[in-house]
Amino acid sequence: MKAALGGIGIAAAFVASVLGALSIAYGLVRKRPAVLATGYRFVPVLAVSTILSVVAMEWALITHDFSLAYVAKNNALETPLLYTIAGMWASLEGSILLWGFVLVAYIVSITIYFRKRRNDALVAWATVVMLLTSAFFFLLMVGPTNPFKTLFRPPLNGDGPNPLLQNHPLMAFHPPILYAGYVGMTVPFAFAMAALITGRVGEGWLLEIRRWTLGAWGCLTLGIGLGAWWSYEVLGWGGFWGWDAVENASLLPWLTATAFIHSVLVQERRAMLRVWNLSLICATFSLTILGTFLTRSGVISSVHAFSNSTIGPWLLTFFAVVVLSALGLIAWRGDQLRSGGSIDSPVSREGAFLANNILFGAFAFVVLLGTVFPLLVEAWNGQRLSVGAPYFDTMTRPLGLVMLFLMAIAPVLPWRKASTEVLAVRIRIPMLIGVLTVVLCVVFGLRGASTLFTYFLGAFAAGAAFRQLGLAIRGARARGASPLRAFVGRANGGMIVHLGVILIAVAIASSRSYASSTEFVMKPGETRAFKGHEVELVRFRQEEKKSAGVVVSTAWHADIRINGGRIDSPAITRLDQSGSVVGTPSVRTGFFSDLYLTFVQKPDTDDGKAIIGFYVQPMILWLWVGIGIMGLGTILSMVPGTRRRPTEPTSALTGVAVA
């Protein structure tokens, strides 16, 4: 029954997506409002059908219906409820279902938000693009990634999720939030394509998608951050970012989306960079499709990636259609996309934004090249290559430092042109803050030219951000408004985001430069010293977990006392059904550094020796705090502030106030 309901839901969702897109497009081309209205009526059908399929899948997971192949593969009787629910996105077919569900949520939200302007060509064509995208993903579920395939002989128990996906609560939240960002990039892409189709390529469409883009970008940022946190808490290698291909796949659209969010300010104010901004948003959506291909086609080996599948050619074909369609429409509207304005001086805010965009583009190219080059070489001659962290660190570190410098300079630059005198006055205090920060670091014994330079740039940029917020508070008071108004709006919220980025940059530089690690061979009762910490191995413990009287997992714990205080217990767990062995680190978070323990190898006998890994990771707490501040800044950026009219008012939606 569940398989039948889920299959009906997916088929109906595919049909509703196709008929809705065709009806709206036909109504637009033939100027038939009745047909156009009929097309929108398929959206509720799409929503109900999608919800039906998701409910059927969750119902099957919660009731352990092993007649579904997906449930048998990704669920077991002993799987905890939280990971049973999260099992929907634990493997390929369920992750595509989650993609479709999130996309439909965006489609429904857009149609509700623009319910009074559905007949407007821009909104209607954007809806067509989103419905066609929905049709593609539901076609995948009808075909090669059907999550409701049944088994002729269901097993008595399933295999259960990947062990790494059922030992930390973050797995219940990281993928859906990441998907909200990934899939959310469909909205600005759809409006960009609609602007090109209708010829309304001015600045009006940008105002309509501003909050949607910021919201999707914020979810993508938070999703990446939660993924780094999961990696740090679960994988036991003491790090949070390893330049894994799947990590890179999520970073790529974030980079181009960040560039778009910055450069769109230039277009709104100066009517410049139209082609560049359209290209950026189309590249962002294209990279989400490419990232989906990398993570779900089986072309790469990764702890994050899904197994081999036949979905690869489908995704590559869709990727090619998206890229060629975008390029064709941009070329078609080339004459209308020319802007009359130009950058008056490189020492100006628009000059800084352009330089910022070039850097983000270079960063994305470096990451893309390092990610796909091994795949291209293997496809060409069958040779397997590996591009690791040294390449990415070497190539991206200088780009990151220059970005920090621009983050410090851009907020103090005026539009059009800056005089030397004005610039000197504005950067004096922020630069002094940077210099004093480095002096204090040296006094407290910190060394390393690159790291100290990062601290200088971070403090410099923080000073510039606080200067802007201070001016905003002064302006709010002068208008008789609450000082809290100084923290809302795109510009002021953006300064909060900058502060979060600065904290992350400082935390990364600190962990890369000052982290220490070692491994101790110890037996109970022994004590070791490392980096000012006393490590005592107290005892070993063994715990068995049973389900229906059967042992399903066995965990070995190493109880370790740090500095004579409380006991931490890293563990090694064997899942008896699959035979998989996973480690669980113990993380003690501190204000300035984390103590990170791993149980590397258990002893052969109760009184034998074991291998214990010990890491001192500086400033990791501030990495997570920085991500939280970025999320807060994103929310504040979406709150209405003082908004500027577009340079070309006629490009806005008919009857829409753009002030």
Side-chain angles (χ1 to χ4, degrees):
M1 179 180 178
K2 305 178 189 76
L5 288 176
I8 291 171
I10 287 174
F14 170 70
V15 172
S17 298
V18 172
L19 293 180
L22 292 177
S23 300
I24 294 173
Y26 183 83
L28 286 167
V29 174
R30 295 295 183 180
K31 294 181 172 54
R32 297 189 179 180
V35 179
L36 180 63
T38 299
Y40 278 109
R41 293 191 183 100
F42 284 103
V43 173
V45 177
L46 172 62
V48 172
S49 302
T50 305
I51 291 172
L52 177 64
S53 60
V54 170
V55 169
M57 175 55 71
E58 289 292 0
W59 184 16
L61 287 166
I62 292 172
T63 59
H64 306 296
D65 185 352
F66 300 125
S67 65
L68 267 65
Y70 184 84
V71 177
K73 179 183 176 183
N74 297 284
N75 188 247
L77 294 173
E78 62 272 11
T79 303
L81 179 61
L82 178 65
Y83 303 111
T84 293
I85 296 171
M88 195 183 88
W89 47 85
S91 191
L92 172 65
E93 295 84 357
S95 71
I96 298 298
L97 178 58
L98 176 64
W99 183 293
F101 176 71
V102 175
L103 179 55
V104 170
Y106 275 109
I107 293 173
V108 172
S109 300
I110 284 291
T111 55
I112 293 174
Y113 185 78
F114 291 108
R115 61 189 178 278
K116 295 182 179 179
R117 289 172 272 166
R118 292 179 179 178
N119 291 338
D120 185 279
L122 190 68
V123 174
W125 278 115
T127 306
V128 169
V129 173
M130 286 187 284
L131 286 171
L132 290 175
T133 305
S134 170
F136 169 75
F137 281 96
F138 280 103
L139 178 62
L140 291 179
M141 287 181 268
V142 171
T145 62
N146 180 7
F148 292 99
K149 291 179 181 177
T150 57
L151 296 174
F152 179 69
R153 292 182 178 177
L156 297 177
N157 197 0
D159 297 335
N162 184 320
L164 293 174
L165 304 183
Q166 54 176 320
N167 64 347
H168 200 286
L170 279 175
M171 274 317 298
F173 306 100
H174 157 56
I177 294 174
L178 187 67
Y179 274 50
Y182 241 49
V183 181
M185 292 303 169
T186 308
V187 175
F189 169 75
F191 274 87
M193 298 293 281
L196 289 167
I197 292 170
T198 59
R200 289 157 64 173
V201 293
E203 284 57 65
W205 69 277
L206 294 172
L207 293 177
E208 299 301 329
I209 65 163
R210 184 176 75 82
R211 291 189 182 87
W212 296 95
T213 307
L214 286 172
W217 180 87
C219 289
L220 188 55
T221 302
L222 185 57
I224 293 172
L226 290 177
W229 196 4
W230 172 83
S231 179
Y232 181 69
E233 293 275 350
V234 169
L235 297 184
W237 60 291
F240 49 84
W241 189 268
W243 295 109
D244 179 276
V246 179
E247 293 173 336
N248 296 346
S250 63
L251 179 63
L252 284 167
W254 184 89
L255 290 169
T256 52
T258 306
F260 172 76
I261 288 171
H262 284 83
S263 65
V264 76
L265 296 170
V266 180
Q267 182 175 345
E268 290 180 7
R269 179 138 187 165
R270 299 287 309 279
M272 297 164 51
L273 304 180
R274 289 177 177 175
V275 173
W276 178 246
N277 285 326
L278 284 165
S279 300
L280 279 176
I281 202 60
C282 293
T284 299
F285 180 72
S286 300
L287 287 170
T288 65
I289 303 303
L290 181 63
T292 307
F293 165 74
L294 291 173
T295 57
R296 287 156 184 81
S297 63
V299 298
I300 59 173
S301 298
S302 165
V303 69
H304 307 80
F306 296 106
S307 58
N308 292 335
S309 71
T310 60
I311 199 177
W314 293 72
L315 290 168
L316 282 182
T317 300
F318 186 60
F319 172 78
V321 169
V322 168
V323 172
L324 292 176
S325 299
L327 291 176
L329 286 172
I330 291 173
W332 180 40
R333 296 295 186 186
D335 291 339
Q336 294 174 257
L337 291 171
R338 291 196 183 98
S339 57
S342 61
I343 294 179
D344 300 324
S345 169
V347 187
S348 61
R349 187 163 297 188
E350 53 266 50
F353 280 143
L354 180 59
N356 173 79
N357 269 232
I358 293 172
L359 289 169
F360 271 111
F363 204 121
F365 176 77
V366 166
V367 176
L368 181 62
L369 180 64
T371 304
V372 304
F373 182 72
L375 303 179
L376 297 176
V377 170
E378 184 176 357
W380 178 259
N381 59 19
Q383 182 181 359
R384 286 184 174 270
L385 295 179
S386 177
V387 177
Y391 160 80
F392 292 106
D393 290 341
T394 301
M395 298 297 291
T396 59
R397 184 179 292 113
L399 294 173
L401 291 175
V402 179
M403 287 178 180
L404 268 180
F405 173 73
L406 286 177
M407 195 181 297
I409 291 294
V412 304
L413 288 172
W415 293 95
R416 295 188 179 275
K417 189 175 182 179
S419 67
T420 306
E421 295 79 9
V422 170
L423 185 59
V425 170
R426 291 183 177 182
I427 69 170
R428 183 171 54 201
I429 294 179
M431 184 171 286
L432 180 61
I433 293 173
V435 172
L436 290 176
T437 299
V438 172
V439 170
L440 286 174
C441 289
V442 173
V443 168
F444 282 100
L446 299 181
R447 298 293 184 267
S450 176
T451 306
L452 290 175
F453 187 52
T454 302
Y455 291 168
F456 164 73
L457 291 176
F460 186 8
F466 281 121
R467 176 186 179 276
Q468 289 301 106
L469 291 172
L471 292 174
I473 292 173
R474 185 189 304 174
R477 285 175 173 170
R479 296 191 304 270
S482 168
L484 294 177
R485 291 292 301 171
F487 296 97
V488 302
R490 181 166 44 176
N492 301 329
M495 291 299 102
I496 304 295
V497 172
H498 279 194
L499 292 174
V501 173
I502 292 163
L503 278 180
I504 292 171
V506 170
I508 291 174
S510 301
S511 67
R512 291 282 190 261
S513 300
Y514 304 130
S516 302
S517 65
T518 190
E519 289 186 352
F520 297 129
V521 179
M522 305 175 68
K523 63 181 181 180
E526 290 188 339
T527 301
R528 298 285 189 274
F530 181 69
K531 294 295 180 180
H533 298 282
E534 186 180 84
V535 184
E536 179 190 357
L537 177 57
V538 179
R539 61 182 172 271
F540 299 119
R541 291 184 292 112
Q542 181 176 326
E543 294 181 354
E544 291 183 344
K545 183 178 179 181
K546 296 183 179 181
S547 177
V550 178
V551 176
V552 295
S553 67
T554 304
W556 292 269
H557 297 266
D559 289 343
I560 301 170
R561 180 176 283 114
I562 305 295
N563 300 326
R566 78 165 193 258
I567 291 178
D568 294 272
S569 300
I572 298 174
T573 303
R574 185 188 68 219
L575 303 179
D576 290 53
Q577 183 174 354
S578 64
S580 302
V581 177
V582 295
T584 304
S586 173
V587 183
R588 184 182 294 191
T589 300
F591 192 81
F592 291 109
S593 65
D594 283 10
L595 302 181
Y596 189 101
L597 300 171
T598 59
F599 195 178
V600 180
Q601 181 177 313
K602 66 185 181 66
D604 295 331
T605 60
D606 291 340
D607 58 352
K609 293 187 176 181
I611 300 177
I612 306 297
F614 190 83
Y615 301 77
V616 178
Q617 288 281 24
M619 299 290 288
I620 295 296
L621 172 64
W622 298 102
L623 180 63
W624 318 132
V625 172
I627 292 169
I629 291 175
M630 289 182 70
L632 173 63
T634 304
I635 295 172
L636 294 174
S637 297
M638 297 171 66
V639 176
T642 303
R643 287 175 40 177
R644 196 176 280 278
R645 291 180 180 273
T647 304
E648 183 187 337
T650 56
S651 68
L653 295 180
T654 304
V656 180
V658 295

